Amino acid sequence: MDDCNIIAATYNSSTSTCAKKRMPLLNARNSSSSKGQKALLKVAYSNNEFNTFGVSKKKSFNVRVFLKVMVAISATLACFFGALAAYYHPYVKRLTRRKKFLNATDIGINFREFTFDELHEATDGFNVSRILGKGSSGKVYRGTLIIDDAEIGIAVKKLEKKIEKSENEFMTELKIIGLTHHKNLVKLLGFCMENNHRILVYELMPNGALSSLLFGQKGEKPQWIQRVEMALGIAKGLLYLHEECETQIIHCDIKPQNVLLDANHVAKIADFGLSKLLNKDQTRTNTNFRGTIGYIAPEWLRNSPITAKVDVFSFGVMLLEIICCRRHVESYQSHDEDERGSEDDDLVLVNLVLRCMVSKKLEIVVSDDLEVLNDFKRFEQMALVGLWCLHPNPTLRPSMKKVTQMLEGTVEVGVPPLLNDEIMAN
């Protein structure tokens, strides 16, 4: 049976002879001539039967053990190299840094952290052609990012390294905007603190700054009702910063250049780089000189402690600019010698409005604006609110809550002390 070519055999017990048979097997039958003969067939062993033989079983066992060991080693190496690759992957590094900053108590916010490469690509390498404007602490660039599978326009504010307090301003903006949420405040999308870079990422305001709309070169004025809504929206934004935030915020640089317009021309307060945080129980703070000439309150120049009333004063100047569509300092030409007054008064919008109020000829200020003349009563009331805000004594200025109520018409405006003093002086 050890012959591999044999598949069967017959054994004759009487003669003790064995006849081998090869494939194919033909004419196999049981007859009288086959008495005393046994037919033997070679059949292959099953696995279980094969394993009963010691040598074969040993060989099979070794193969299985070897395979198991190799699989275990391969899995271990795969896990090791996978962990190693993940540890050094840029995304994991960024995630690690993000957790570090997000958990930092000195920030207290959870904005998205962008990589410098992301923002560099989004702004075409911070291309000069992408510059939207330049603030006190850095330049602002237009960019495009893909967030949540949507293409979003962004404004990237890159703080300049040469400014000594850039990092402090950066941290201040993060703290302030992280604590604010209002429809009249520009939304912060994220930040970048990679290496020496200090960058803020804002939602893009497609209609630019309020100053461009009010004082644009085209000479076209925004609609009167639009200006009214913008003024009220800005007032509500400041009210939120002063009284409705968990931490009171003084903006310190309210002006048309720091009010941006979204796609629907909703006014939103921007640029918190000069803001000063106050504790809950504080109402006054000493700080370095801040703001823009023409909008700064007198207490800045007196080195007096600063309160939220500095924003009220700045808002008063800007309110007059909005309703009159004139800059706070501008030449005013009149053909009437009696109404023209002194040249100095003509150059300052506040003085012009005040003088026309006293002479009861306020319509002169908006003589070329038919929309305003058709709603002159409201214009007059808003001008009076502006004069309320402009009193040199901060204690006599209203809060932004009262300013908002006066603009909404829920509180009587009355005669501003500044106007009353001017009337008495004349």
Side-chain angles (χ1 to χ4, degrees), residues 330-393:
E330 184 179 80
S331 295
Y332 172 66
Q333 301 296 332
S334 174
H335 299 292
D336 191 335
E337 291 291 337
D338 295 331
E339 299 300 336
R340 186 163 56 191
S342 68
E343 184 179 355
D344 290 339
D345 282 348
D346 290 344
L347 292 173
V348 181
L349 179 59
V350 175
N351 293 342
L352 174 63
V353 171
L354 188 58
R355 182 169 56 81
C356 289
M357 278 271 196
V358 172
S359 63
K360 299 188 181 195
K361 294 182 179 180
L362 184 60
E363 64 275 4
I364 294 175
V365 181
V366 289
S367 59
D368 59 343
D369 196 330
L370 293 179
E371 278 190 315
V372 176
L373 293 175
N374 290 332
D375 192 15
F376 188 75
K377 182 63 178 176
R378 178 186 285 184
F379 169 78
E380 185 179 37
Q381 293 295 301
M382 294 182 75
L384 288 172
V385 174
L387 293 180
W388 267 104
C389 298
L390 292 168
H391 200 283
N393 185 347

Short mmCIF file of all heavy atoms in Angstrom, two decimals, residues 330-393:
data_model
loop_
_atom_site.label_atom_id
_atom_site.label_comp_id
_atom_site.label_asym_id
_atom_site.label_seq_id
_atom_site.Cartn_x
_atom_site.Cartn_y
_atom_site.Cartn_z
N GLU A 330 -15.85 119.12 9.66
CA GLU A 330 -16.11 119.29 8.23
C GLU A 330 -16.46 120.74 7.93
O GLU A 330 -17.12 121.40 8.73
CB GLU A 330 -17.28 118.38 7.82
CG GLU A 330 -17.60 118.38 6.35
CD GLU A 330 -18.75 117.42 6.05
OE1 GLU A 330 -19.91 117.83 6.28
OE2 GLU A 330 -18.50 116.29 5.60
N SER A 331 -16.01 121.22 6.79
CA SER A 331 -16.36 122.58 6.39
C SER A 331 -17.83 122.65 6.04
O SER A 331 -18.35 121.79 5.31
CB SER A 331 -15.51 123.02 5.19
OG SER A 331 -14.15 123.10 5.55
N TYR A 332 -18.49 123.63 6.56
CA TYR A 332 -19.92 123.81 6.26
C TYR A 332 -20.10 125.11 5.51
O TYR A 332 -19.73 126.17 6.00
CB TYR A 332 -20.73 123.84 7.56
CG TYR A 332 -22.19 124.20 7.35
CD1 TYR A 332 -23.03 123.36 6.65
CD2 TYR A 332 -22.70 125.38 7.87
CE1 TYR A 332 -24.35 123.68 6.44
CE2 TYR A 332 -24.02 125.72 7.68
CZ TYR A 332 -24.85 124.87 6.97
OH TYR A 332 -26.16 125.19 6.78
N GLN A 333 -20.63 125.04 4.33
CA GLN A 333 -20.81 126.22 3.49
C GLN A 333 -22.29 126.63 3.48
O GLN A 333 -23.16 125.81 3.21
CB GLN A 333 -20.36 125.94 2.06
CG GLN A 333 -18.90 125.52 1.96
CD GLN A 333 -17.95 126.61 2.40
OE1 GLN A 333 -18.27 127.79 2.30
NE2 GLN A 333 -16.79 126.23 2.90
N SER A 334 -22.55 127.89 3.79
CA SER A 334 -23.91 128.41 3.73
C SER A 334 -23.90 129.70 2.95
O SER A 334 -22.98 130.50 3.06
CB SER A 334 -24.45 128.66 5.14
OG SER A 334 -25.71 129.29 5.08
N HIS A 335 -24.95 129.91 2.14
CA HIS A 335 -25.05 131.14 1.35
C HIS A 335 -25.64 132.28 2.17
O HIS A 335 -25.66 133.41 1.73
CB HIS A 335 -25.91 130.88 0.11
CG HIS A 335 -25.32 129.82 -0.78
ND1 HIS A 335 -24.15 130.00 -1.47
CD2 HIS A 335 -25.75 128.56 -1.07
CE1 HIS A 335 -23.88 128.90 -2.18
NE2 HIS A 335 -24.84 128.01 -1.94
N ASP A 336 -26.12 131.95 3.35
CA ASP A 336 -26.73 132.96 4.21
C ASP A 336 -25.69 133.43 5.23
O ASP A 336 -25.27 132.67 6.10
CB ASP A 336 -27.94 132.36 4.94
CG ASP A 336 -28.77 133.44 5.64
OD1 ASP A 336 -28.19 134.50 5.97
OD2 ASP A 336 -29.97 133.20 5.86
N GLU A 337 -25.27 134.66 5.11
CA GLU A 337 -24.24 135.20 5.99
C GLU A 337 -24.68 135.19 7.45
O GLU A 337 -23.88 135.00 8.35
CB GLU A 337 -23.88 136.64 5.57
CG GLU A 337 -23.15 136.74 4.26
CD GLU A 337 -21.75 136.17 4.35
OE1 GLU A 337 -21.20 136.10 5.47
OE2 GLU A 337 -21.20 135.77 3.31
N ASP A 338 -26.01 135.41 7.69
CA ASP A 338 -26.49 135.47 9.07
C ASP A 338 -26.44 134.09 9.73
O ASP A 338 -26.30 133.98 10.94
CB ASP A 338 -27.93 135.99 9.11
CG ASP A 338 -28.02 137.43 8.64
OD1 ASP A 338 -27.01 138.16 8.81
OD2 ASP A 338 -29.07 137.82 8.09
N GLU A 339 -26.58 133.02 8.93
CA GLU A 339 -26.64 131.68 9.51
C GLU A 339 -25.29 130.97 9.51
O GLU A 339 -25.11 129.99 10.18
CB GLU A 339 -27.64 130.82 8.72
CG GLU A 339 -29.06 131.35 8.73
CD GLU A 339 -29.63 131.44 10.14
OE1 GLU A 339 -29.15 130.71 11.03
OE2 GLU A 339 -30.53 132.26 10.36
N ARG A 340 -24.34 131.55 8.72
CA ARG A 340 -23.08 130.85 8.57
C ARG A 340 -22.27 130.87 9.85
O ARG A 340 -21.62 129.90 10.21
CB ARG A 340 -22.30 131.45 7.40
CG ARG A 340 -21.05 130.67 7.09
CD ARG A 340 -20.52 131.01 5.72
NE ARG A 340 -20.29 132.44 5.57
CZ ARG A 340 -20.03 133.00 4.40
NH1 ARG A 340 -20.03 132.26 3.30
NH2 ARG A 340 -19.82 134.29 4.31
N GLY A 341 -22.31 131.98 10.58
CA GLY A 341 -21.60 132.06 11.87
C GLY A 341 -20.11 132.04 11.68
O GLY A 341 -19.58 132.29 10.61
N SER A 342 -19.39 131.68 12.76
CA SER A 342 -17.93 131.67 12.72
C SER A 342 -17.43 130.44 12.00
O SER A 342 -18.08 129.39 11.97
CB SER A 342 -17.37 131.70 14.14
OG SER A 342 -17.65 130.48 14.80
N GLU A 343 -16.25 130.57 11.44
CA GLU A 343 -15.67 129.45 10.68
C GLU A 343 -15.36 128.28 11.59
O GLU A 343 -15.52 127.13 11.23
CB GLU A 343 -14.40 129.93 9.98
CG GLU A 343 -13.78 128.87 9.09
CD GLU A 343 -12.54 129.37 8.40
OE1 GLU A 343 -12.23 130.57 8.55
OE2 GLU A 343 -11.90 128.56 7.72
N ASP A 344 -14.95 128.56 12.84
CA ASP A 344 -14.62 127.49 13.77
C ASP A 344 -15.82 126.63 14.08
O ASP A 344 -15.73 125.41 14.19
CB ASP A 344 -14.06 128.08 15.08
CG ASP A 344 -12.68 128.69 14.88
OD1 ASP A 344 -12.03 128.32 13.88
OD2 ASP A 344 -12.29 129.53 15.70
N ASP A 345 -16.99 127.26 14.27
CA ASP A 345 -18.21 126.50 14.55
C ASP A 345 -18.57 125.61 13.37
O ASP A 345 -19.04 124.50 13.53
CB ASP A 345 -19.37 127.44 14.86
CG ASP A 345 -19.28 128.00 16.28
OD1 ASP A 345 -18.47 127.47 17.05
OD2 ASP A 345 -20.00 128.96 16.58
N ASP A 346 -18.38 126.13 12.17
CA ASP A 346 -18.74 125.39 10.98
C ASP A 346 -17.91 124.13 10.83
O ASP A 346 -18.35 123.16 10.23
CB ASP A 346 -18.57 126.26 9.74
CG ASP A 346 -19.63 127.36 9.68
OD1 ASP A 346 -20.63 127.25 10.40
OD2 ASP A 346 -19.42 128.31 8.92
N LEU A 347 -16.68 124.14 11.35
CA LEU A 347 -15.80 123.00 11.19
C LEU A 347 -16.16 121.84 12.13
O LEU A 347 -15.78 120.72 11.89
CB LEU A 347 -14.35 123.41 11.45
CG LEU A 347 -13.74 124.35 10.40
CD1 LEU A 347 -12.36 124.81 10.85
CD2 LEU A 347 -13.65 123.66 9.06
N VAL A 348 -16.89 122.10 13.21
CA VAL A 348 -17.23 121.08 14.19
C VAL A 348 -18.72 120.82 14.14
O VAL A 348 -19.53 121.71 14.41
CB VAL A 348 -16.80 121.52 15.62
CG1 VAL A 348 -17.13 120.44 16.63
CG2 VAL A 348 -15.32 121.85 15.65
N LEU A 349 -19.10 119.59 13.81
CA LEU A 349 -20.51 119.23 13.65
C LEU A 349 -21.31 119.45 14.93
O LEU A 349 -22.44 119.94 14.90
CB LEU A 349 -20.61 117.76 13.21
CG LEU A 349 -22.03 117.22 13.02
CD1 LEU A 349 -22.79 118.01 11.97
CD2 LEU A 349 -21.98 115.74 12.65
N VAL A 350 -20.73 119.11 16.08
CA VAL A 350 -21.43 119.28 17.36
C VAL A 350 -21.80 120.73 17.59
O VAL A 350 -22.93 121.07 17.96
CB VAL A 350 -20.57 118.75 18.53
CG1 VAL A 350 -21.26 119.04 19.86
CG2 VAL A 350 -20.30 117.27 18.37
N ASN A 351 -20.84 121.61 17.34
CA ASN A 351 -21.09 123.04 17.54
C ASN A 351 -22.13 123.56 16.55
O ASN A 351 -22.97 124.39 16.89
CB ASN A 351 -19.80 123.84 17.38
CG ASN A 351 -18.80 123.54 18.49
OD1 ASN A 351 -19.17 123.02 19.54
ND2 ASN A 351 -17.54 123.85 18.26
N LEU A 352 -22.09 123.04 15.33
CA LEU A 352 -23.05 123.45 14.31
C LEU A 352 -24.47 123.06 14.72
O LEU A 352 -25.41 123.88 14.65
CB LEU A 352 -22.69 122.81 12.98
CG LEU A 352 -23.68 123.02 11.83
CD1 LEU A 352 -23.79 124.51 11.49
CD2 LEU A 352 -23.27 122.21 10.62
N VAL A 353 -24.65 121.83 15.16
CA VAL A 353 -25.96 121.35 15.58
C VAL A 353 -26.45 122.14 16.79
O VAL A 353 -27.62 122.55 16.85
CB VAL A 353 -25.91 119.84 15.90
CG1 VAL A 353 -27.22 119.37 16.55
CG2 VAL A 353 -25.63 119.03 14.64
N LEU A 354 -25.56 122.37 17.73
CA LEU A 354 -25.93 123.09 18.94
C LEU A 354 -26.35 124.52 18.62
O LEU A 354 -27.37 125.03 19.13
CB LEU A 354 -24.75 123.09 19.92
CG LEU A 354 -25.01 123.63 21.33
CD1 LEU A 354 -26.12 122.85 22.02
CD2 LEU A 354 -23.73 123.59 22.16
N ARG A 355 -25.59 125.17 17.76
CA ARG A 355 -25.92 126.55 17.40
C ARG A 355 -27.25 126.64 16.64
O ARG A 355 -28.06 127.55 16.89
CB ARG A 355 -24.78 127.13 16.55
CG ARG A 355 -24.98 128.59 16.14
CD ARG A 355 -23.72 129.16 15.54
NE ARG A 355 -23.26 128.38 14.42
CZ ARG A 355 -23.77 128.49 13.19
NH1 ARG A 355 -24.75 129.34 12.94
NH2 ARG A 355 -23.29 127.76 12.20
N CYS A 356 -27.48 125.67 15.74
CA CYS A 356 -28.74 125.67 15.00
C CYS A 356 -29.92 125.34 15.90
O CYS A 356 -31.04 125.81 15.69
CB CYS A 356 -28.67 124.68 13.84
SG CYS A 356 -27.58 125.21 12.51
N MET A 357 -29.68 124.54 16.93
CA MET A 357 -30.73 124.23 17.90
C MET A 357 -31.13 125.50 18.66
O MET A 357 -32.32 125.78 18.86
CB MET A 357 -30.22 123.17 18.89
CG MET A 357 -30.31 121.76 18.39
SD MET A 357 -31.91 121.03 18.77
CE MET A 357 -31.55 119.30 18.51
N VAL A 358 -30.13 126.24 19.09
CA VAL A 358 -30.40 127.46 19.85
C VAL A 358 -31.16 128.47 19.00
O VAL A 358 -32.10 129.13 19.47
CB VAL A 358 -29.07 128.09 20.35
CG1 VAL A 358 -29.33 129.46 20.98
CG2 VAL A 358 -28.39 127.16 21.35
N SER A 359 -30.79 128.58 17.72
CA SER A 359 -31.45 129.53 16.83
C SER A 359 -32.74 128.96 16.22
O SER A 359 -33.40 129.63 15.42
CB SER A 359 -30.50 129.94 15.70
OG SER A 359 -30.15 128.82 14.91
N LYS A 360 -33.07 127.71 16.60
CA LYS A 360 -34.28 127.03 16.13
C LYS A 360 -34.33 126.93 14.61
O LYS A 360 -35.38 127.08 13.99
CB LYS A 360 -35.52 127.76 16.66
CG LYS A 360 -35.58 127.78 18.18
CD LYS A 360 -36.88 128.33 18.69
CE LYS A 360 -36.85 128.33 20.20
NZ LYS A 360 -38.09 128.49 20.86
N LYS A 361 -33.18 126.67 14.04
CA LYS A 361 -33.08 126.48 12.59
C LYS A 361 -32.28 125.22 12.28
O LYS A 361 -31.37 125.21 11.47
CB LYS A 361 -32.43 127.70 11.94
CG LYS A 361 -33.29 128.95 12.07
CD LYS A 361 -32.65 130.14 11.36
CE LYS A 361 -33.54 131.38 11.47
NZ LYS A 361 -32.92 132.55 10.80
N LEU A 362 -32.63 124.13 12.97
CA LEU A 362 -31.90 122.87 12.83
C LEU A 362 -31.99 122.30 11.42
O LEU A 362 -31.10 121.59 10.98
CB LEU A 362 -32.45 121.84 13.85
CG LEU A 362 -31.73 120.50 13.92
CD1 LEU A 362 -30.26 120.67 14.29
CD2 LEU A 362 -32.43 119.57 14.90
N GLU A 363 -33.05 122.66 10.70
CA GLU A 363 -33.23 122.10 9.36
C GLU A 363 -32.10 122.52 8.41
O GLU A 363 -31.90 121.89 7.37
CB GLU A 363 -34.58 122.52 8.78
CG GLU A 363 -34.75 124.01 8.56
CD GLU A 363 -35.22 124.74 9.82
OE1 GLU A 363 -35.32 124.09 10.87
OE2 GLU A 363 -35.50 125.95 9.72
N ILE A 364 -31.35 123.55 8.78
CA ILE A 364 -30.22 123.99 7.94
C ILE A 364 -29.18 122.88 7.80
O ILE A 364 -28.57 122.70 6.75
CB ILE A 364 -29.57 125.25 8.54
CG1 ILE A 364 -30.55 126.42 8.47
CG2 ILE A 364 -28.27 125.58 7.82
CD1 ILE A 364 -30.03 127.67 9.14
N VAL A 365 -29.01 122.10 8.88
CA VAL A 365 -27.98 121.05 8.88
C VAL A 365 -28.30 119.97 7.83
O VAL A 365 -27.39 119.37 7.25
CB VAL A 365 -27.88 120.41 10.28
CG1 VAL A 365 -26.79 119.35 10.30
CG2 VAL A 365 -27.59 121.48 11.33
N VAL A 366 -29.59 119.73 7.57
CA VAL A 366 -29.99 118.67 6.64
C VAL A 366 -30.85 119.23 5.51
O VAL A 366 -31.77 118.58 5.03
CB VAL A 366 -30.76 117.56 7.40
CG1 VAL A 366 -29.82 116.78 8.29
CG2 VAL A 366 -31.90 118.15 8.21
N SER A 367 -30.52 120.44 5.10
CA SER A 367 -31.35 121.11 4.09
C SER A 367 -31.39 120.38 2.76
O SER A 367 -32.33 120.55 1.98
CB SER A 367 -30.82 122.54 3.88
OG SER A 367 -29.46 122.51 3.46
N ASP A 368 -30.39 119.54 2.48
CA ASP A 368 -30.35 118.83 1.20
C ASP A 368 -30.80 117.37 1.32
O ASP A 368 -30.60 116.58 0.41
CB ASP A 368 -28.93 118.88 0.62
CG ASP A 368 -27.91 118.26 1.55
OD1 ASP A 368 -28.22 118.08 2.75
OD2 ASP A 368 -26.80 117.94 1.10
N ASP A 369 -31.41 117.02 2.44
CA ASP A 369 -31.83 115.64 2.67
C ASP A 369 -33.35 115.59 2.83
O ASP A 369 -33.90 115.81 3.91
CB ASP A 369 -31.15 115.08 3.93
CG ASP A 369 -31.23 113.56 4.02
OD1 ASP A 369 -32.21 112.99 3.52
OD2 ASP A 369 -30.31 112.96 4.60
N LEU A 370 -34.06 115.32 1.74
CA LEU A 370 -35.51 115.35 1.74
C LEU A 370 -36.12 114.31 2.66
O LEU A 370 -37.15 114.55 3.31
CB LEU A 370 -36.04 115.16 0.32
CG LEU A 370 -35.73 116.30 -0.67
CD1 LEU A 370 -36.28 115.97 -2.05
CD2 LEU A 370 -36.33 117.62 -0.16
N GLU A 371 -35.50 113.12 2.73
CA GLU A 371 -36.02 112.06 3.61
C GLU A 371 -36.04 112.51 5.06
O GLU A 371 -37.01 112.27 5.78
CB GLU A 371 -35.17 110.80 3.47
CG GLU A 371 -35.52 109.92 2.28
CD GLU A 371 -34.81 108.59 2.35
OE1 GLU A 371 -33.60 108.57 2.64
OE2 GLU A 371 -35.47 107.56 2.13
N VAL A 372 -34.99 113.16 5.50
CA VAL A 372 -34.91 113.63 6.87
C VAL A 372 -35.91 114.76 7.11
O VAL A 372 -36.58 114.81 8.15
CB VAL A 372 -33.48 114.10 7.21
CG1 VAL A 372 -33.43 114.68 8.62
CG2 VAL A 372 -32.50 112.94 7.07
N LEU A 373 -36.01 115.67 6.16
CA LEU A 373 -36.95 116.79 6.31
C LEU A 373 -38.39 116.30 6.41
O LEU A 373 -39.21 116.92 7.09
CB LEU A 373 -36.79 117.75 5.13
CG LEU A 373 -35.45 118.50 5.06
CD1 LEU A 373 -35.36 119.33 3.79
CD2 LEU A 373 -35.28 119.40 6.30
N ASN A 374 -38.68 115.16 5.76
CA ASN A 374 -40.03 114.59 5.84
C ASN A 374 -40.28 113.87 7.16
O ASN A 374 -41.42 113.53 7.48
CB ASN A 374 -40.26 113.62 4.68
CG ASN A 374 -40.36 114.33 3.35
OD1 ASN A 374 -40.77 115.50 3.29
ND2 ASN A 374 -39.98 113.66 2.27
N ASP A 375 -39.23 113.60 7.90
CA ASP A 375 -39.35 112.96 9.22
C ASP A 375 -38.57 113.81 10.23
O ASP A 375 -37.81 113.29 11.06
CB ASP A 375 -38.81 111.54 9.15
CG ASP A 375 -39.16 110.71 10.39
OD1 ASP A 375 -40.05 111.13 11.16
OD2 ASP A 375 -38.54 109.65 10.60
N PHE A 376 -38.75 115.11 10.15
CA PHE A 376 -37.91 116.05 10.89
C PHE A 376 -38.06 115.92 12.40
O PHE A 376 -37.08 116.10 13.14
CB PHE A 376 -38.21 117.49 10.46
CG PHE A 376 -37.25 118.49 11.04
CD1 PHE A 376 -35.96 118.59 10.54
CD2 PHE A 376 -37.63 119.30 12.11
CE1 PHE A 376 -35.06 119.51 11.08
CE2 PHE A 376 -36.74 120.21 12.65
CZ PHE A 376 -35.44 120.31 12.13
N LYS A 377 -39.23 115.57 12.88
CA LYS A 377 -39.45 115.45 14.32
C LYS A 377 -38.54 114.37 14.91
O LYS A 377 -37.93 114.56 15.96
CB LYS A 377 -40.92 115.13 14.60
CG LYS A 377 -41.27 115.03 16.08
CD LYS A 377 -41.06 116.36 16.79
CE LYS A 377 -41.47 116.28 18.25
NZ LYS A 377 -41.19 117.54 18.98
N ARG A 378 -38.48 113.24 14.22
CA ARG A 378 -37.60 112.17 14.71
C ARG A 378 -36.14 112.59 14.64
O ARG A 378 -35.37 112.33 15.57
CB ARG A 378 -37.81 110.89 13.88
CG ARG A 378 -36.90 109.75 14.31
CD ARG A 378 -37.00 108.54 13.39
NE ARG A 378 -38.22 107.80 13.61
CZ ARG A 378 -38.51 106.66 12.99
NH1 ARG A 378 -37.66 106.16 12.11
NH2 ARG A 378 -39.64 106.04 13.22
N PHE A 379 -35.77 113.27 13.56
CA PHE A 379 -34.39 113.75 13.45
C PHE A 379 -34.06 114.68 14.61
O PHE A 379 -32.98 114.58 15.22
CB PHE A 379 -34.21 114.49 12.12
CG PHE A 379 -32.92 115.25 12.02
CD1 PHE A 379 -31.73 114.61 11.75
CD2 PHE A 379 -32.88 116.63 12.20
CE1 PHE A 379 -30.53 115.30 11.66
CE2 PHE A 379 -31.70 117.34 12.11
CZ PHE A 379 -30.51 116.68 11.85
N GLU A 380 -34.96 115.57 14.94
CA GLU A 380 -34.73 116.52 16.03
C GLU A 380 -34.57 115.79 17.36
O GLU A 380 -33.68 116.13 18.16
CB GLU A 380 -35.90 117.51 16.10
CG GLU A 380 -35.69 118.61 17.14
CD GLU A 380 -36.85 119.59 17.15
OE1 GLU A 380 -38.01 119.13 16.97
OE2 GLU A 380 -36.61 120.79 17.35
N GLN A 381 -35.41 114.78 17.59
CA GLN A 381 -35.31 114.01 18.83
C GLN A 381 -33.98 113.27 18.92
O GLN A 381 -33.34 113.23 19.99
CB GLN A 381 -36.47 113.01 18.92
CG GLN A 381 -37.84 113.65 19.07
CD GLN A 381 -37.97 114.40 20.40
OE1 GLN A 381 -37.83 113.83 21.46
NE2 GLN A 381 -38.26 115.69 20.31
N MET A 382 -33.53 112.72 17.81
CA MET A 382 -32.26 111.99 17.81
C MET A 382 -31.08 112.96 17.99
O MET A 382 -30.09 112.61 18.65
CB MET A 382 -32.10 111.19 16.52
CG MET A 382 -33.11 110.06 16.37
SD MET A 382 -32.89 109.07 14.87
CE MET A 382 -31.45 108.11 15.30
N ALA A 383 -31.19 114.14 17.45
CA ALA A 383 -30.15 115.16 17.64
C ALA A 383 -30.07 115.56 19.12
O ALA A 383 -28.97 115.75 19.67
CB ALA A 383 -30.43 116.37 16.77
N LEU A 384 -31.22 115.66 19.77
CA LEU A 384 -31.25 115.99 21.20
C LEU A 384 -30.60 114.87 22.01
O LEU A 384 -29.87 115.13 22.98
CB LEU A 384 -32.69 116.20 21.65
CG LEU A 384 -33.38 117.49 21.18
CD1 LEU A 384 -34.86 117.48 21.53
CD2 LEU A 384 -32.69 118.72 21.78
N VAL A 385 -30.83 113.61 21.62
CA VAL A 385 -30.19 112.48 22.31
C VAL A 385 -28.67 112.60 22.18
O VAL A 385 -27.92 112.39 23.14
CB VAL A 385 -30.68 111.14 21.74
CG1 VAL A 385 -29.89 109.98 22.36
CG2 VAL A 385 -32.17 110.95 21.99
N GLY A 386 -28.21 112.97 20.97
CA GLY A 386 -26.78 113.14 20.77
C GLY A 386 -26.20 114.21 21.68
O GLY A 386 -25.13 114.03 22.26
N LEU A 387 -26.93 115.31 21.84
CA LEU A 387 -26.45 116.38 22.72
C LEU A 387 -26.47 115.96 24.18
O LEU A 387 -25.63 116.42 24.98
CB LEU A 387 -27.31 117.64 22.52
CG LEU A 387 -27.20 118.31 21.13
CD1 LEU A 387 -28.10 119.53 21.06
CD2 LEU A 387 -25.74 118.70 20.84
N TRP A 388 -27.42 115.11 24.56
CA TRP A 388 -27.42 114.55 25.93
C TRP A 388 -26.11 113.81 26.19
O TRP A 388 -25.52 113.91 27.28
CB TRP A 388 -28.58 113.58 26.11
CG TRP A 388 -29.84 114.17 26.67
CD1 TRP A 388 -30.97 114.48 25.99
CD2 TRP A 388 -30.08 114.51 28.04
NE1 TRP A 388 -31.92 115.01 26.85
CE2 TRP A 388 -31.39 115.03 28.12
CE3 TRP A 388 -29.32 114.44 29.21
CZ2 TRP A 388 -31.96 115.47 29.31
CZ3 TRP A 388 -29.89 114.87 30.41
CH2 TRP A 388 -31.19 115.38 30.45
N CYS A 389 -25.65 113.08 25.20
CA CYS A 389 -24.44 112.24 25.36
C CYS A 389 -23.17 113.07 25.42
O CYS A 389 -22.13 112.57 25.89
CB CYS A 389 -24.34 111.25 24.21
SG CYS A 389 -25.71 110.07 24.08
N LEU A 390 -23.22 114.32 24.95
CA LEU A 390 -22.01 115.11 24.74
C LEU A 390 -21.69 116.08 25.86
O LEU A 390 -20.79 116.92 25.70
CB LEU A 390 -22.12 115.86 23.41
CG LEU A 390 -22.09 114.98 22.17
CD1 LEU A 390 -22.49 115.76 20.93
CD2 LEU A 390 -20.71 114.37 21.99
N HIS A 391 -22.37 115.97 26.97
CA HIS A 391 -22.07 116.89 28.07
C HIS A 391 -20.66 116.62 28.59
O HIS A 391 -20.26 115.47 28.76
CB HIS A 391 -23.08 116.73 29.20
CG HIS A 391 -23.13 117.92 30.10
ND1 HIS A 391 -22.18 118.19 31.06
CD2 HIS A 391 -24.02 118.96 30.16
CE1 HIS A 391 -22.48 119.31 31.69
NE2 HIS A 391 -23.60 119.80 31.17
N PRO A 392 -19.87 117.68 28.86
CA PRO A 392 -18.49 117.49 29.32
C PRO A 392 -18.40 116.82 30.69
O PRO A 392 -17.38 116.21 31.01
CB PRO A 392 -17.93 118.92 29.37
CG PRO A 392 -19.12 119.82 29.37
CD PRO A 392 -20.19 119.10 28.62
N ASN A 393 -19.47 116.92 31.48
CA ASN A 393 -19.49 116.26 32.79
C ASN A 393 -20.07 114.85 32.63
O ASN A 393 -21.25 114.70 32.32
CB ASN A 393 -20.33 117.08 33.78
CG ASN A 393 -20.27 116.51 35.19
OD1 ASN A 393 -19.82 115.39 35.40
ND2 ASN A 393 -20.74 117.29 36.16
#
